[in-house]
Amino acid sequence: MKLRLPDVLLLLVALVGGVLAWQTGRERGRLGDKYERMARKTGDLVVTDRSRIHVRALKTGDPMHFAWRVYLPANCTLKAKTNLGDSGSSWSSEPQEFIARVRFLEDEHGVLNLYTRLSGGSSRMGLGDPKLAELVRGRWGKLLVEQMGATELFAVEPDQPAVLLKLTLPDDMQAEARKALYPNEQARFIPAVFRLEFEPLVPKQ
């Protein structure tokens, strides 16, 4: 049977469409598998209200390492600040989901370093002098920990501030800190040796 030119063109269009549909399905399947692996590893983040910020803490098995799954609504500007100053900000016209991390590491000079990773990138800075590192070395398990989303999914309005992480020295370590640290560092690290706060701003329209 001899095919006419319009029939050949229709056949080619159908063939190209079939290939594109197969490629799209394959990519969708790959992304779906990736999401499932992430959900198995970090837990599923159930967003009950897409207009609110949602936070769920993740277990790391390390008292010096904290992590969360975070959902931000569309057009939400989120600013993170610590007792050391600002720690970055994030804004997107689309909803975002990301893993936030805070980790404490001691460098080769014996100075305690703070590593943070939010949706807008990562940073690392030193905390005080080696005396602070000496104070908490091997005793992280004694610090009083307040971690957002540690016991249940936490949801907050985009224009409300919320403390993501607060690490407070117990009374006996506070007494040691007052003897060991310089006055300016006492003001920064006593009683809370670390505090990370989300400071959401009014969503952009």
Side-chain angles (χ1 to χ4, degrees), residues 29-49:
R30 185 185 68 81
L31 293 176
D33 291 342
K34 182 178 179 181
Y35 178 83
E36 289 297 328
R37 289 195 301 271
M38 183 178 179
R40 286 195 298 269
K41 184 177 180 180
T42 65
D44 196 14
L45 184 65
V46 180
V47 178
T48 56
D49 182 347

Side-chain angles (χ1 to χ4, degrees), residues 15 24 27 30 36 57 70 74 104 124 148 150 153 174 194:
L15 181 62
T24 300
E27 179 66 10
R30 185 185 68 81
E36 289 297 328
V70 181
F104 299 90
R124 183 169 177 167
M148 183 188 295
L153 178 67
Q174 287 186 41
F194 180 75

Side-chain angles (χ1 to χ4, degrees), residues 44-57:
D44 196 14
L45 184 65
V46 180
V47 178
T48 56
D49 182 347
R50 300 193 72 80
S51 68
R52 306 177 77 192
I53 297 171
H54 288 63
V55 178
R56 179 178 178 178

Side-chain angles (χ1 to χ4, degrees), residues 22 45 68 80 87 92-93 102 106 112 132-133 139 155-156 168 176:
W22 175 79
L45 184 65
W68 302 260
S87 187
S92 174
S93 61
V102 170
E106 192 172 329
L112 192 63
L132 179 63
R139 297 198 288 178
V156 64
T168 303
E176 291 182 48

Side-chain angles (χ1 to χ4, degrees), residues 47-155:
V47 178
T48 56
D49 182 347
R50 300 193 72 80
S51 68
R52 306 177 77 192
I53 297 171
H54 288 63
V55 178
R56 179 178 178 178
L58 305 175
K59 294 182 179 180
T60 67
D62 183 347
M64 299 173 68
H65 184 190
F66 303 87
W68 302 260
R69 278 190 68 175
V70 181
Y71 164 83
L72 295 185
N75 300 316
C76 177
T77 300
L78 187 65
K79 181 179 179 181
K81 66 177 184 178
T82 72
N83 49 334
L84 305 172
D86 292 345
S87 187
S89 61
S90 174
W91 177 84
S92 174
S93 61
E94 300 295 329
Q96 300 182 71
E97 280 194 36
F98 59 92
I99 303 295
R101 295 187 184 277
V102 170
R103 195 166 192 174
F104 299 90
L105 305 165
E106 192 172 329
D107 65 18
E108 64 274 13
H109 304 294
V111 174
L112 192 63
N113 279 218
L114 166 68
Y115 169 82
T116 59
R117 182 172 184 83
L118 303 173
S119 66
S122 61
S123 66
R124 183 169 177 167
M125 67 178 72
L127 298 180
D129 64 21
K131 292 181 180 180
L132 179 63
E134 292 174 11
L135 178 70
V136 297
R137 185 181 299 135
R139 297 198 288 178
W140 281 90
K142 291 189 62 176
L143 301 186
L144 308 178
V145 179
E146 298 175 47
Q147 184 180 14
M148 183 188 295
T151 58
E152 60 183 359
L153 178 67
F154 185 90

Side-chain angles (χ1 to χ4, degrees), residues 153-191:
L153 178 67
F154 185 90
V156 64
E157 297 295 335
D159 59 350
Q160 297 297 310
V163 177
L164 191 67
L165 179 65
K166 184 179 179 181
L167 303 177
T168 303
L169 296 171
D171 292 342
D172 59 334
M173 292 182 69
Q174 287 186 41
E176 291 182 48
R178 290 189 179 93
K179 295 178 181 178
L181 303 181
Y182 293 111
N184 63 318
E185 294 203 331
Q186 291 181 32
R188 295 167 70 189
F189 301 119
I190 304 174

